[in-house]
Amino acid sequence: MDGPADPRPRLEQTFFADPVLDRVLGMVMALSAEVWVLRERQRRMAIALERAGLASDATPSAEEEAALARERDAFTAALLENLLGRQVSKGAP
Amino acid sequence: MVGSPEFDAYQRFILSAKLYWTGPMFRALRETYRHRLSLAPKEMPPGPERVAALLAGEPDAQIFCWMERHLQRFKYSGRLGLVPAHEEARAAIEAALNAPLPPGLLELDPGFEVPRYFRAVDIHQHPGGIWSDEIAGAVYERGARSTTPLLSKDLSLHERFTDLVLALRRPRRLLDMGCGFGKSTKPFYERCREAEVLGIDIAAPCLKLAAQDAAAAQARNVAFKQRSADATRLPDGSFDLVTSTMMLHEMPPPVVEGTLREAFRLLEPGGLMIHLDFLPPEEDEFLTWIHYGHGRRNNEPYMEPLARMGIGRVMEAIGFREVRIEPFEEMEGALARRETHWRFPWAVVSGVRPAA
């Protein structure tokens, strides 16, 4: 039952008619994650600077954390709602 | 690095995206399915195969499936994924895992051969699986915090299962099969101080973490051993309660059957076996289709075979009585949300070894 392992890399699963779309969407999501990482870092630095000049270890308050979470979810929604393909204002199909 | 601001921001984004997939994307797909179903020929037999046919080529389905597959990949393997982030902390994690333990708390088997079915795929899309790397248990523990996106802010799942079990049986000797890194075992050894609790698993990296966690909690009524659930090498009738949590769906049906037989052998007469796992609701072809696809997309190939094997009949054939398969509500109001949010189809499977 224990045959030799296949050394070749397995091709990733595909879900679209054109597998290039699978790969490009992966790149878009990777870039989106990087954008959010930068945005969150920038926001936290702004909080720290506002508080005490250069205090880089300032921890946001619970209220500020909640605001950041709302901002993150809004960022995610604005990004991913494009994939739902629904009209925001009714028009011709 | 784990715990760095970049890592945390990245993982929070992935979780946020998973929540969007769980909610709006799931609802969009349901809506499309219902529309397609309303146009379908009446003679199409119901079942997950019909859903697959109705949704073939549908952008909502393609997007939903892509997101399910790849958000999990990003969680583990992106630039700030769990695996590379833990790699940077390897030395510290290994030192913590190999810290001295009280005698008898952990028994590993250096000659243990991890079965082929567990090595054939990297379960949960965790590169290398949860058994091959010394620090895989620590990676898995961090990953498990967001396995079920809706639960990310409600970690009561294991407590709720423990509540349910203890309402049925207050154990003297409990065996937790497939205990992993001990998150299912902990509520039992903490809440049943008078009971002897044993956790077994095939993955040494997870057992090491479970034992360290128990040592930190100063638990004196628990031990962990590296054993297969279907061949424990433990004495007949040595437990009055046998449990597992999210184990059965990781085994092919012959191993599931072997495990049920082993549980029957290990139980004293009148003893209770109870498993928490996933079985899709048969009456809902859409959720069943989602669940079967999840098994493929998340590298958990035995989810569908478990659902199709007729586990209740197998248990009765082995000799279990009072066999029950019931939905489980992993968080308050979860069952009511199944129309609007993706969730695992949690189910409790239980049976009693007859007294005589």
Side-chain angles (χ1 to χ4, degrees), chain A residues 12 34 40 73 76 86, chain B residues 12 16 60 62 69 79:
Chain A
E12 185 47 87
E34 295 288 353
E40 183 166 323
D73 288 343
T76 308
R86 267 57 171 176
Chain B
R12 280 193 287 259
S16 180
D60 284 331
Q62 293 170 328
R69 171 83 181 165
R79 181 176 76 86

Side-chain angles (χ1 to χ4, degrees), chain A residues 23-77:
Chain A
R23 300 185 193 188
V24 172
L25 187 53
M27 196 174 71
V28 170
M29 283 302 295
L31 281 171
S32 305
E34 295 288 353
V35 168
W36 174 257
V37 169
L38 289 173
R39 252 177 90 163
E40 183 166 323
R41 288 290 286 151
Q42 185 188 33
R43 185 87 180 84
R44 286 176 187 275
M45 284 175 72
I47 289 169
L49 287 169
E50 275 172 26
R51 281 231 190 103
L54 297 176
S56 60
D57 61 345
T59 307
S61 66
E63 202 174 306
E64 286 161 343
E65 282 288 2
L68 197 57
R70 285 194 298 276
E71 208 176 305
R72 180 171 55 246
D73 288 343
F75 172 85
T76 308

Side-chain angles (χ1 to χ4, degrees), chain B residues 264 268-271 319 321 352-356:
Chain B
F264 190 85
E268 64 183 27
R321 294 295 174 260
V352 172
R353 177 173 175 153

Side-chain angles (χ1 to χ4, degrees), chain B residues 113-151:
Chain B
E113 193 170 334
V114 174
R116 181 175 165 78
Y117 72 82
F118 208 59
R119 291 184 279 119
V121 296
D122 290 343
I123 197 164
H124 310 144
Q125 297 193 57
H126 180 158
I130 60 173
W131 58 273
S132 67
D133 188 313
E134 173 87 355
I135 64 170
V139 175
Y140 179 34
E141 189 278 331
R142 183 63 176 72
R145 296 183 207 172
S146 56
T147 298
T148 306
L150 283 180
L151 272 173

Side-chain angles (χ1 to χ4, degrees), chain B residues 173-177 196-200 229 232 234 239-244 262-263 266:
Chain B
R173 295 185 308 280
L174 184 158
L175 175 64
D176 188 26
M177 293 174 148
E196 291 172 34
V197 178
L198 175 62
I200 60 169
T232 63
L234 297 166
F239 297 94
D240 57 342
L241 179 62
V242 173
T243 61
S244 84
E262 185 73 346
L266 293 170

Side-chain angles (χ1 to χ4, degrees), chain B residues 208-230:
Chain B
K208 283 188 172 187
L209 184 56
Q212 292 293 344
D213 194 33
Q218 297 188 312
R220 297 182 191 285
N221 58 332
V222 64
F224 295 95
K225 294 180 192 288
Q226 189 175 19
R227 305 280 173 97
S228 287
D230 62 336

Side-chain angles (χ1 to χ4, degrees), chain B residues 7-23:
Chain B
F7 170 80
D8 287 343
Y10 175 87
Q11 290 291 335
R12 280 193 287 259
F13 170 73
I14 298 301
L15 180 58
S16 180
K18 280 194 169 210
L19 283 166
Y20 193 87
W21 165 81
T22 296

Side-chain angles (χ1 to χ4, degrees), chain B residues 150-169:
Chain B
L150 283 180
L151 272 173
S152 59
K153 291 172 186 163
D154 181 351
L155 299 174
S156 63
L157 160 68
H158 295 284
E159 291 292 340
R160 290 171 74 91
F161 180 58
T162 307
D163 286 344
L164 185 150
V165 174
L166 295 184
L168 298 170
R169 189 68 55 111

